[in-house]
Amino acid sequence: MEGTEGGEAGPETGREAIIRAARRAFTLRPYAEVTMRGIAAAAGVSPSLIVKRFGSKEALFNTVVDFRPAADELFSAPLDDLGRHLVLTMVDLRDRLRGDPLLRVVFSLGIEDERTLLRARFREQVTDRLAEVLTGPEARLRAELVSGQLLGLGATLSLHRPDGATAHTTAERLADLYAPGIQHLVDGG
């Protein structure tokens, strides 16, 4: 990514680069070991831009552990088409964000308190939110299984790109193959 004078990127690009670098940093290292300078270097921006955009390391961390923006997009379809929408949206989000919007919950290497917070936010903002909109029996169980399917899709896409079969398959074809299983869970099987 090219930056502007002072190493700061454009308005949206800079914010996205900072969040992407912060997600990676907070996933791979405990909170105490993550520095604003390190995130800035990885994002190709100045540390002052991070402070200007987010205020503090804690505020940036809270932005990174917020799954609501991804959940808003993921759950923005009617239940009868949710399975397909989830697959297509996951692929789209991965491409736009240049990384998986959910998978960090699995691979976080932070201390126990950080992992617990990350998992609690995921549960509240993704799994519980889905359980609230599902109809029929065992909504909570089905929501957990759908969340697991989405994490599995993200892991598969991460493991097999850029040279695996998933890298050479369209999002529509992935949805043709993967969405029926998710939809079965959404419908209550």
Side-chain angles (χ1 to χ4, degrees):
M1 173 179 65
E2 279 188 57
T4 59
E5 279 183 52
E8 295 184 4
E12 279 306 300
T13 307
R15 185 176 196 287
E16 292 169 6
I18 292 165
I19 290 172
R20 196 170 31 258
R23 279 184 180 144
R24 182 165 177 75
F26 288 123
T27 298
L28 298 177
R29 292 189 302 282
Y31 179 88
E33 293 178 14
V34 174
T35 65
M36 298 285 260
R37 286 190 190 283
I39 292 169
V45 302
S46 69
S48 63
L49 181 62
I50 296 176
V51 173
K52 179 181 175 184
R53 295 265 168 88
F54 297 94
S56 67
K57 179 173 138 179
E58 180 181 4
L60 180 57
F61 178 76
N62 284 324
T63 299
V64 167
V65 298
D66 187 0
F67 294 98
R68 285 177 296 192
D72 287 345
E73 289 191 52
L74 287 165
F75 304 138
S76 66
L79 287 178
D80 61 348
D81 191 42
L82 190 59
R84 184 170 195 78
H85 175 80
L86 289 170
V87 173
L88 294 173
T89 302
M90 280 292 291
V91 173
D92 178 61
L93 284 170
R94 287 178 56 80
D95 291 345
R96 277 191 286 133
L97 300 174
R98 288 194 256 159
D100 191 275
L102 305 177
L103 207 51
R104 65 189 178 276
V105 74
V106 176
F107 295 111
S108 174
L109 298 177
I111 61 172
E112 186 60 33
D113 288 345
E114 294 158 24
R115 288 192 312 266
T116 300
L117 173 65
L118 192 63
R119 289 179 181 143
R121 292 263 177 96
F122 182 87
R123 191 175 309 112
E124 171 192 317
Q125 296 172 357
V126 178
T127 308
D128 291 350
R129 182 171 169 186
L130 179 58
E132 289 172 8
V133 299
L134 292 180
T135 58
E138 302 178 302
R140 173 73 185 173
L141 172 61
R142 292 174 17 241
E144 288 179 7
L145 293 171
V146 168
S147 295
Q149 291 289 324
L150 294 176
L151 292 171
L153 176 61
T156 298
L157 294 174
S158 294
L159 287 170
H160 299 289
R161 289 201 176 189
D163 56 354
T166 56
H168 306 290
T169 303
T170 67
E172 290 291 330
R173 182 64 183 142
L174 288 174
D176 290 344
L177 294 169
Y178 205 80
I182 294 176
Q183 190 63 47
H184 184 73
L185 292 169
V186 168
D187 294 340

